[in-house]
Amino acid sequence: MDFGTIKFSKPGSDETVCEVPWVPTTATLVRARLAEAGNDSFGSDDNAVGTYAAFYNAELMGHKLVELPRVEEIKPSDVFAAAFQYGFTLELPDGAAEEAEEAEGNPTATTGASS
């Protein structure tokens, strides 16, 4: 399934340094790694976790863009500092934005399956 692509670039540049597929479960993996390490500095900060997940996702795909502290020591400020070295955008697959808007407008929407 195509969830989109993360494109990394240097600040002030439109040139893509690397692009990797977005894997939504990476954010869950990051939260699990933080919990296992006893690191609660991220709390419920979804922006920090999502940013960490983007860089971690790139690393899992073979692109070591930034050197981040060990998972036991990393703080949200480390992740946001890394974001100043590389900007990134998530490009959704065709039609995904429209599907999300429709789902937001109809939060009880179902897949049409009956029970």
Side-chain angles (χ1 to χ4, degrees), residues 43-69:
S44 62
D45 189 341
D46 289 337
N47 288 329
V49 170
T51 303
Y52 186 9
F55 284 109
Y56 189 63
N57 192 56
E59 188 173 326
L60 291 173
M61 300 292 174
H63 302 280
K64 181 85 170 172
L65 299 172
V66 294
E67 190 65 42
L68 292 171

Side-chain angles (χ1 to χ4, degrees), residues 9-10 13 23 29 40 52 60 74 82 86 91 93 108:
S9 61
K10 285 287 194 177
S13 172
V23 181
L29 175 61
D40 62 356
Y52 186 9
L60 291 173
I74 194 165
Y86 287 93
E91 292 188 359
T108 60

